[in-house]
Amino acid sequence: AQRVTQPEKLLSVFKGAPVELKCNYSYSGSPELFWYVQYSRQRLQLLLRHISRESIKGFTADLNKGETSFHLKKPFAQEEDSAMYYCALSGPRGSGTSYGKLTFGQGTILTVHP
Amino acid sequence: DAGVTQSPTHLIKTRGQHVTLRCSPISGHKSVSWYQQVLGQGPQFIFQYYEKEERGRGNFPDRFSARQFPNYSSELNVNALLLGDSALYLCASINRNTEAFFGQGTRLTVV
């Protein structure tokens, strides 16, 4: 069974401090991994996906297959980063019905204080 | 902004009633997915449709059904509503890279 665990429900940091949102997953094989973000009163939106290897809004995420983790990091947090963050996975291309089906973690609320 | 549109935005139903939720995907996207988000939890997958065919179904009872129309819009139907069906229902429009673009959701309250 596929599962995503975000161990921290709440995370508070001060502006300019580094931030790391943890994500661990369980999947038989090599899943596709994503981070989604939901800012206040906005819809859920894709922040980044591991195959893109991009840095979006200063955030990066490294896939660690050995530890089955996909932690989201930013070296210097900004107040506008305050939001709900969800880690999600889906089966890889060719995995049949699990391809494109997202399994989400419970989310982490990040608050960046001034 | 021709994003994903869902209707209605809110509705209140009584236990035992039926509800239909609607979703219009982004132009050019042929796949939609439905998710249920209960307060305090992440979205949970219900259905995925591609080119009017069901491509995946989550762990939901048969009271939940969906369909996709030739214009790629979609409906989610829930019969015999229970109090536990109260949630935010999200529709996602899926592009060719399987990136999901979410609508604002429909907030369903069952009383």
Side-chain angles (χ1 to χ4, degrees), chain A residues 24-45:
Chain A
N24 291 91
Y25 67 89
S26 173
Y27 185 83
S28 299
S30 298
E32 291 209 25
L33 287 148
F34 307 82
W35 276 98
Y36 282 83
V37 61
Q38 187 166 29
Y39 301 102
S40 179
R41 297 190 185 88
Q42 294 187 27
R43 60 187 67 190
L44 193 60
Q45 58 186 283

Side-chain angles (χ1 to χ4, degrees), chain A residues 18-65:
Chain A
V19 63
E20 181 180 56
L21 292 88
K22 292 183 168 53
C23 171
N24 291 91
Y25 67 89
S26 173
Y27 185 83
S28 299
S30 298
E32 291 209 25
L33 287 148
F34 307 82
W35 276 98
Y36 282 83
V37 61
Q38 187 166 29
Y39 301 102
S40 179
R41 297 190 185 88
Q42 294 187 27
R43 60 187 67 190
L44 193 60
Q45 58 186 283
L46 177 65
L47 180 61
L48 55 80
R49 61 190 299 180
H50 87 276
I51 62 171
S52 299
R53 297 186 179 275
E54 290 178 314
S55 173
I56 306 294
K57 299 185 179 183
F59 284 98
T60 59
D62 291 322
L63 175 60
N64 186 322
K65 292 185 178 180

Side-chain angles (χ1 to χ4, degrees), chain B residues 50-62:
Chain B
Y50 177 76
E51 292 269 20
K52 299 177 289 179
E53 298 286 328
E54 183 183 302
R55 287 296 183 90
R57 183 187 184 109
N59 188 24
F60 280 81
D62 291 343

Side-chain angles (χ1 to χ4, degrees), chain A:
Chain A
Q2 54 196 62
R3 175 177 288 185
V4 176
T5 302
Q6 294 179 250
E8 303 138 329
K9 206 163 182 64
L10 301 169
L11 184 62
S12 289
V13 300
F14 285 99
K15 177 182 174 181
V19 63
E20 181 180 56
L21 292 88
K22 292 183 168 53
C23 171
N24 291 91
Y25 67 89
S26 173
Y27 185 83
S28 299
S30 298
E32 291 209 25
L33 287 148
F34 307 82
W35 276 98
Y36 282 83
V37 61
Q38 187 166 29
Y39 301 102
S40 179
R41 297 190 185 88
Q42 294 187 27
R43 60 187 67 190
L44 193 60
Q45 58 186 283
L46 177 65
L47 180 61
L48 55 80
R49 61 190 299 180
H50 87 276
I51 62 171
S52 299
R53 297 186 179 275
E54 290 178 314
S55 173
I56 306 294
K57 299 185 179 183
F59 284 98
T60 59
D62 291 322
L63 175 60
N64 186 322
K65 292 185 178 180
E67 297 182 357
T68 59
S69 68
F70 188 56
H71 303 326
L72 184 68
K73 300 177 185 179
K74 185 170 183 177
F76 307 103
Q78 303 299 316
E79 289 179 67
E80 54 265 31
D81 296 329
S82 297
M84 171 72 93
Y85 290 81
Y86 292 99
C87 182
L89 70 76
S90 75
R93 201 177 279 272
S95 61
T97 56
S98 65
Y99 181 56
K101 165 194 167 183
L102 292 167
T103 297
F104 285 86
Q106 290 201 329
T108 297
I109 300 173
L110 173 65
T111 303
V112 181
H113 300 283

Side-chain angles (χ1 to χ4, degrees), chain A residues 9 43 49 86 99 102, chain B residues 4 35 37 97-99 102:
Chain A
K9 206 163 182 64
R43 60 187 67 190
R49 61 190 299 180
Y86 292 99
Y99 181 56
L102 292 167
Chain B
V4 183
Y35 291 81
Q37 187 173 21
N97 295 323
T98 69
E99 294 169 346
F102 286 86

Side-chain angles (χ1 to χ4, degrees), chain B residues 9-63:
Chain B
T9 54
H10 299 82
L11 75 165
I12 300 174
K13 290 287 189 178
T14 305
R15 278 178 297 176
Q17 284 189 314
H18 163 270
V19 68
T20 298
L21 311 181
R22 294 178 175 83
C23 172
S24 292
I26 295 169
S27 177
H29 291 189
K30 299 180 179 180
S31 180
V32 295
S33 293
W34 287 95
Y35 291 81
Q36 181 196 65
Q37 187 173 21
V38 174
L39 198 61
Q41 296 184 19
Q44 188 172 359
F45 174 77
I46 310 175
F47 285 109
Q48 183 180 18
Y49 276 78
Y50 177 76
E51 292 269 20
K52 299 177 289 179
E53 298 286 328
E54 183 183 302
R55 287 296 183 90
R57 183 187 184 109
N59 188 24
F60 280 81
D62 291 343
R63 299 185 295 107

